[in-house]
Amino acid sequence: MSEENVSLLPPKHIAIIMDGNGRWAEKRGLPKNAGHAAGAETFRKIANYCRTLGVKYLTVYAFSTENWKRSQDEISGIMLLMERYLREVLRDMDKNRVRICVFGDLTRIKPKLRKLCEEAQEKSAGYDDVQVNFCLNYGGRDEIIRAVKAYCAAVQAGREDVSELTEEKFANYLDSGGVPDPELIIRPSGEMRLSNFLTWQSVYSEFVYMDVLWPDFSPSDLDAAIAEYHRRNRRFGGR
Ligand code: IPE
Ligand code: IPE
Ligand code: MG
C-alpha cells in the first residue's frame, strides 16, 4: 500500500466485476477457458489479499444472467472452475474460516454445482471474520424480481404488511440480505458499465474502472483502487 494511504482503513465491502478473461486469452492465442482459469487464479490471490487488508466482505461477479448467451463449451468451463473452487473451499474450510455466500438464481445451475454451493454456504455459515459472495447466474434486476416475489408471498401469508414496507425491510429479501452495500466497486478490463451487477446495492458505491485485464490484476492494482476510493468525496446527497 502506498505510504499516503497506509493509515486509512480499507472499505468494509469491495465488489469486483471480474472482466477481461476472454481478451487476456485472445491476446495469447489461447482458448477462452484458459482465460477463465487464469482469472480463477487471480481471484484466489485477490481474495487472500483482501483478507490480509482486513476487508470484511468481498463480492465477485462470476457469471451473469446474460452469460448464458455464450458457447456451451465456455459455460461448462466456467462452471467447472466454480466446482473446483468450491471443493477446495469445503476441503480447507476449518483452516480458512471464510463464510461463503452465493448470490444469484441457482435453479438454473446443474444439480452437482448447486449442491456444492448449498453445502459451502451451510457449512461456512458460522464463520464471520470474512465473507465472500459469489455472484453466479446473477443479475441485479433478476435479484430484485425474486425479492419482490418472496416479499409478496410473505404478504399473502400474513407475515408482512405492505404499509410497513421500508427500503431496509425490502433489502432483507435480496440475496445480499444482511450484507452492507459495497463502498467500492472495481471493474477491470476498461469497460465502464455495471452489466446488471448489484443494481439495488450500488446506488452510492464509488466506481473504479481500470485498464487491466482481470487475469493480470494484482494486489498493487487493488491498492491503487483503494487509494482512488480514499480520494473520493462521498457526500450521499449532502453538502
Ligand atoms: C469475464 O471475462 C468472465 C465472465 C463474464 C464469465 P470475459 O469472458 O467477459 O472477458 P472479455 O470481456 O471477453 O475479455
Ligand atoms: C460481466 O461481464 C459479467 C461478469 C464479469 C461475470 P460481461 O463481459 O458479461 O459484460 P458485458 O457483456 O461486457 O457487458
Ligand atoms: Mg467481458
Side-chain angles (χ1 to χ4, degrees), residues 18-23 36 62 67 70 74 78:
M18 303 189 292
D19 195 21
N21 296 348
R23 277 162 281 176
H36 294 309
N67 287 147
R70 300 188 180 197
E74 184 173 356
I78 295 168

Side-chain angles (χ1 to χ4, degrees), residues 65-123:
T65 46
E66 287 73 37
N67 287 147
W68 298 105
K69 291 174 191 157
R70 300 188 180 197
S71 75
Q72 194 47 53
D73 181 54
E74 184 173 356
I75 294 171
S76 311
I78 295 168
M79 298 297 164
L80 202 67
L81 286 166
M82 187 81 190
E83 259 182 57
R84 195 174 296 164
Y85 178 70
L86 287 172
R87 282 188 209 291
E88 227 173 83
V89 161
L90 283 162
R91 190 192 61 207
D92 301 334
M93 188 158 279
D94 292 336
K95 192 175 73 195
N96 292 338
R97 306 183 65 78
V98 173
R99 179 168 184 188
I100 301 288
C101 277
V102 184
F103 293 179
D105 179 5
L106 294 188
T107 58
R108 206 175 156 183
I109 301 297
K110 290 212 172 111
K112 197 159 83 172
L113 177 54
R114 200 161 79 207
K115 250 189 102 223
L116 281 169
C117 291
E118 286 160 0
E119 207 182 326
Q121 292 192 100
E122 280 161 23
K123 293 196 169 156

Side-chain angles (χ1 to χ4, degrees), residues 37 40 44-45 48 60 66 68 88 91 103 116 124 135-136 144 148 159-160 187 201 205 209 211 217 220 234-235:
R44 286 174 174 86
K45 210 165 56 192
N48 276 331
V60 289
E66 287 73 37
W68 298 105
E88 227 173 83
R91 190 192 61 207
F103 293 179
L116 281 169
S124 68
C135 298
L136 178 60
I144 293 171
V148 168
R159 290 193 310 273
E160 292 283 10
R187 183 164 191 160
Q201 300 86 345
S205 302
Y209 297 100
D211 247 332
F217 193 92
S220 62
R234 305 188 81 202
R235 286 183 294 276

